[in-house]
Amino acid sequence: PLMVEEYITVSELANVLGISRQAMLKQIKGKINSGEIETRTEGKTYLIKFSSLPKDIKDRYEESQKEADEAIKGLQEIKKEIDECDSLAGIDEIKRVLGLSNEDLKKQAEYDKEDEVSVVYGEVVMALRDREKEVLDKRKELVEKADREWPSR
């Protein structure tokens, strides 16, 4: 939130309110001309004294800021869940450490069904694969949720 004596550009204000710069100017031009809204210029840029804006515009601005903060928090939570999925899906790391490809794992699992160790190893591999799919599905779901709830502007 802006402090009492802070200035904001017409573009920043319009952007936060989700309207064009021209529409914003149209809304406040009369009040700027009458002196109700205090401004100063820096070069060609109009700076508006935030505290001099009409209450409804200040309220809309603060509400938009609050919504943006909540959206950011929501996205950060989803990103955290996605990162957790990525670390849980450490199967790639296991394969890398063991120096195995998916094909190697499949061959090893099928190599000798009678050999107890190979069978157990195969079961571990299959369990890991299931877990990887589960985690990757969850990750995909989270990414889609983020896109749905907070589409990129």
Side-chain angles (χ1 to χ4, degrees):
L2 292 168
M3 294 300 116
V4 180
E5 294 308 309
E6 287 194 38
Y7 285 79
I8 184 170
T9 67
V10 174
S11 296
E12 288 169 331
L13 184 58
N15 190 27
V16 169
L17 296 178
I19 60 176
S20 72
R21 185 178 168 283
Q22 291 80 354
M24 187 76 253
L25 271 173
K26 205 178 204 176
Q27 281 186 33
I28 60 177
K29 195 98 177 127
K31 289 186 166 89
I32 290 173
N33 293 338
S34 71
E36 284 176 69
I37 294 178
E38 297 173 46
T39 62
R40 64 183 171 87
T41 54
E42 268 180 23
K44 292 180 180 177
T45 308
Y46 249 135
L47 294 172
I48 301 165
K49 187 173 182 179
F50 186 76
S51 60
S52 73
L53 283 168
K55 184 179 180 343
D56 68 311
I57 291 179
K58 283 193 283 198
D59 289 348
R60 278 170 42 211
Y61 178 89
E62 283 163 3
E63 186 57 35
S64 291
Q65 286 292 79
K66 213 182 295 173
E67 285 171 13
D69 291 345
E70 285 168 17
I72 288 168
K73 206 184 302 172
L75 280 171
Q76 286 168 338
E77 285 169 19
I78 287 179
K79 183 176 182 333
K80 198 172 131 200
E81 286 184 59
I82 289 172
D83 290 344
E84 284 169 15
C85 285
D86 287 348
S87 69
L88 285 174
I91 293 105
D92 286 338
E93 182 63 12
I94 292 167
K95 290 190 291 200
R96 192 186 63 73
V97 169
L98 295 174
L100 299 167
S101 69
N102 283 338
E103 285 311 302
D104 292 332
L105 294 177
K106 213 181 285 172
K107 277 185 218 146
Q108 177 66 37
E110 293 165 358
Y111 177 65
D112 184 359
K113 301 262 190 245
E114 309 314 306
D115 180 354
E116 199 61 31
V117 177
S118 290
V119 172
V120 170
Y121 186 74
E123 285 170 9
V124 168
V125 168
M126 296 322 258
L128 280 173
R129 280 216 190 112
D130 291 346
R131 179 70 182 135
E132 181 178 39
K133 184 178 178 345
E134 203 177 289
V135 168
L136 294 177
D137 287 348
K138 175 149 173 67
R139 183 185 196 284
K140 183 175 178 234
E141 188 183 302
L142 289 166
V143 169
E144 286 168 358
K145 178 181 177 187
D147 287 343
R148 255 194 331 275
E149 292 191 25
W150 300 284
S152 305
R153 287 182 172 238

